[in-house]
Amino acid sequence: MAVSSSKTSANRMAKIKAIFSCMCVPYLVAAIAVAWQATTTPALGELQEVDMRGKRVLITGATSGLGLMQAKVLAGWNATLILPVRDMKKGKALEVRLKKEHPSAPPPVIMEMDLASLQSVRDFTEQYKGPLDVLVHNAAILGTEDTIRTQDGFEECLQVNYLSTFLLTLLLLPHLEESPAGRIVYVSAKAHEWGNISIEDLKSRKVLDLDFPKRKMPMLGNLAGSYADSKLAQVLFTLALARRLPPHVVIHSLHPAIAQTQEKHERFEGPQKYLFTYILQPLAKLLGFMQSEEDAPKTQIHVSTHPSVQAVSGRYY
C-alpha cells in the first residue's frame, strides 16, 4: 500500500508539473516576443531641442500615453498645439494641465474628433482653419481578437488606425501645403512585420485580413492580428504618399518606444495582469526594454521636429 501511495503521489506531482509547464509556455513565448521587439529597436539618443515657436502641430491621442508625453515636450518648446480628442472632458483637463505647466507657451487648441467615425473626421476638418505645419498620427487602438465593427461598418483597427487617419491626412493636406515645411508623421509599430493585407477581404468584408484572429498571441492579444495589419497599412501609405507630395511636404513613419502606460495595465486581467505588472514589466525596465517617460517619446518628437528630417521623405524610423 505504501508503494502504491507513493506512486500515486508521484503521478500527481508529475501531472501538476506538466500542467504548470504548459501554462508557462505561452508566457515564455510572449516574453521572448517582447524582448525581440525591444532588442531589435535602436537605442534612443539625446533629444535635440527645437524652437517650435510659430509652428502649428496637430497630435491625435494626446490625452494619454506617448501622445501626452509628446504634447508636454512640444508645449515646452513653444509649439502651438492642435489637439483633437474624443472625450472633451479629458481634453479640457489636458488644456488646463498644459497651461499650468507651460504658462508662457501658446495656449493649446482642443477640438472634438472621434477616429471611430468618418463623419467626425470630416466635421473636424471642416472646422479647422489656417495652416498646419506638422500632423502627428499618434492615436491608435490595439483591438481584440474579435471582429468588432465601427458605426461605419469597418473592423475597428482598420478604421481607427488607418482609414480615419488616411481621410484626415487627405482633408488636411491643403493646410499642410500652406506651410513652408509641412510634415506628416505616422506613429506606426514594428508589429507591422506581422501584418497581412487581403484586398479581397478589404473590399468584401471591410477588414484587412479576415483570418486575423488566428494570429492571436499569448499575453500580447491582437498585437499580431488586425492591429499589425493596420500598422502595415500605415507604413505602405507613407511610402505611397511620399511619392505624390509636393517637395516642401514630407511624410514619415516610425516605431515608437516601449513605454509604461495605463493602457498596458488595462489590457490584462487576473493572473495575466499580476504577471505583467509584477514580473514582466519590472524585468523589462531592468533590462532596458521599457523606456522611461522622459525617453519614451524621443523618436516621434525627433521625427516631428528636427530640421534634418525635412530633407527626406518616406522614411521609417
Side-chain angles (χ1 to χ4, degrees):
M1 288 293 291
V3 174
S4 177
S5 177
S6 177
K7 286 183 178 180
T8 301
S9 178
N11 288 337
R12 285 176 179 170
M13 287 302 298
K15 289 179 180 178
I16 291 172
K17 288 180 179 179
I19 292 172
F20 183 74
S21 298
C22 290
M23 290 174 63
C24 287
V25 168
Y27 300 125
L28 179 61
V29 171
I32 292 173
V34 171
W36 175 81
Q37 287 282 62
T39 54
T40 52
T41 302
L44 298 170
E46 290 300 316
L47 187 62
Q48 181 179 335
E49 182 173 343
V50 177
D51 184 4
M52 297 295 288
R53 194 179 307 275
K55 297 285 188 180
R56 294 167 69 89
V57 182
L58 189 154
I59 306 173
T60 63
T63 57
S64 64
L66 292 172
L68 172 59
M69 298 175 194
Q70 181 176 11
K72 290 167 64 177
V73 171
L74 295 194
W77 293 0
N78 295 305
T80 299
L81 297 177
I82 315 299
L83 306 176
V85 298
R86 181 183 57 180
D87 186 334
M88 285 299 289
K89 184 177 180 180
K90 290 183 179 180
K92 292 300 182 182
L94 174 59
E95 180 181 13
V96 171
R97 178 176 181 176
L98 291 176
K99 285 181 176 179
K100 181 178 180 180
E101 293 179 0
H102 305 282
S104 61
V109 179
I110 308 297
M111 300 176 66
E112 187 173 8
M113 184 181 71
D114 184 358
L115 292 173
S117 166
L118 296 176
Q119 187 58 51
S120 178
V121 175
R122 293 189 182 96
D123 291 342
F124 168 80
T125 56
E126 287 178 3
Q127 295 170 19
Y128 183 80
K129 307 298 180 183
L132 181 63
D133 298 287
V134 185
L135 169 60
V136 183
H137 292 297
N138 169 78
I141 59 169
L142 180 64
T144 70
E145 305 85 65
D146 300 318
T147 306
I148 298 175
R149 303 281 179 178
T150 65
Q151 63 186 33
D152 296 303
F154 296 96
E155 187 273 326
E156 59 176 353
C157 279
L158 165 60
Q159 178 160 342
V160 174
N161 299 351
Y162 177 61
L163 287 181
S164 287
T165 64
F166 175 95
L167 179 62
L168 182 62
T169 300
L170 296 188
L171 294 177
L172 288 178
L173 202 50
H175 300 274
L176 287 158
E177 291 176 349
E178 289 181 35
S179 169
R183 192 176 305 190
I184 304 163
V185 178
Y186 264 102
V187 181
S188 185
K190 197 171 178 65
H192 81 269
E193 295 175 358
W194 295 325
N196 186 52
I197 294 177
S198 166
I199 300 301
E200 182 59 35
D201 288 345
L202 179 58
K203 289 180 178 179
S204 62
R205 306 300 292 273
K206 295 187 175 182
V207 59
L208 287 172
D209 180 15
L210 196 58
D211 293 330
F212 79 85
K214 296 179 181 179
R215 286 180 270 138
K216 176 185 176 181
M217 298 178 68
M219 286 291 292
L220 300 181
N222 193 44
L223 188 69
S226 60
Y227 174 82
D229 300 342
S230 68
K231 293 300 177 178
L232 175 58
Q234 291 180 347
V235 174
L236 294 176
F237 177 56
T238 297
L239 294 171
L241 188 58
R243 297 194 296 267
R244 295 166 171 82
L245 290 171
H248 68 290
V249 181
V250 301
I251 181 171
H252 300 290
S253 58
L254 61 93
H255 169 66
I258 299 176
Q260 178 181 342
T261 62
Q262 185 62 31
E263 288 82 356
K264 286 186 172 66
H265 287 280
E266 294 173 349
R267 189 186 307 168
F268 308 115
E269 295 179 354
Q272 289 187 347
K273 185 172 184 178
Y274 181 90
L275 181 66
F276 177 82
T277 304
Y278 298 105
I279 299 178
L280 290 180
Q281 184 168 275
L283 182 62
K285 292 177 70 175
L286 179 65
L287 298 177
F289 296 158
M290 187 172 288
Q291 279 75 43
S292 65
E293 182 174 337
E294 180 182 356
D295 284 337
K298 281 184 176 180
T299 302
Q300 64 194 75
I301 292 174
H302 173 80
V303 177
S304 301
T305 62
H306 200 276
S308 65
V309 179
Q310 195 69 28
V312 293
S313 192
R315 295 287 181 87
Y316 180 82
Y317 290 85

